[in-house]
Amino acid sequence: MSRARTTLAFVPLALLASTASAQQIYRVDHEAHPGGDGSSWNSAFQSLQDALDAANADADRDEIWIREGVHMPTYQQSQS
């Protein structure tokens, strides 16, 4: 019976680990080459807005890392 309890205790931990690995990190560097996908510093997005758009399209929890400086989103909502 203790073996069954041990196995059941590891199931939630395994689910948490698989969820955490699904997170995407998007990188922003204003000096990056155009056309990056944010997946690494070598292919970073040039703008924060591109990273925000990519994170918004992804259902998982995402992180956005900024190389340096101050970055502002460029999207503005219409006022209706």
Side-chain angles (χ1 to χ4, degrees), residues 21-43:
S21 66
Q23 286 185 333
Q24 178 70 32
I25 298 172
Y26 296 106
R27 292 156 182 87
V28 177
D29 181 0
H30 68 278
E31 295 178 348
H33 296 288
D37 63 2
S39 62
S40 70
W41 288 118
N42 289 332
S43 64

Side-chain angles (χ1 to χ4, degrees), residues 5-61:
R5 287 183 186 166
T6 303
T7 303
L8 290 176
F10 285 114
V11 171
L13 293 176
L15 290 175
L16 286 174
S18 68
T19 302
S21 66
Q23 286 185 333
Q24 178 70 32
I25 298 172
Y26 296 106
R27 292 156 182 87
V28 177
D29 181 0
H30 68 278
E31 295 178 348
H33 296 288
D37 63 2
S39 62
S40 70
W41 288 118
N42 289 332
S43 64
F45 289 119
Q46 284 185 314
S47 75
L48 175 60
Q49 189 62 55
D50 290 340
L52 290 170
D53 291 343
N56 191 37
D58 191 358
D60 294 329
R61 293 183 179 179

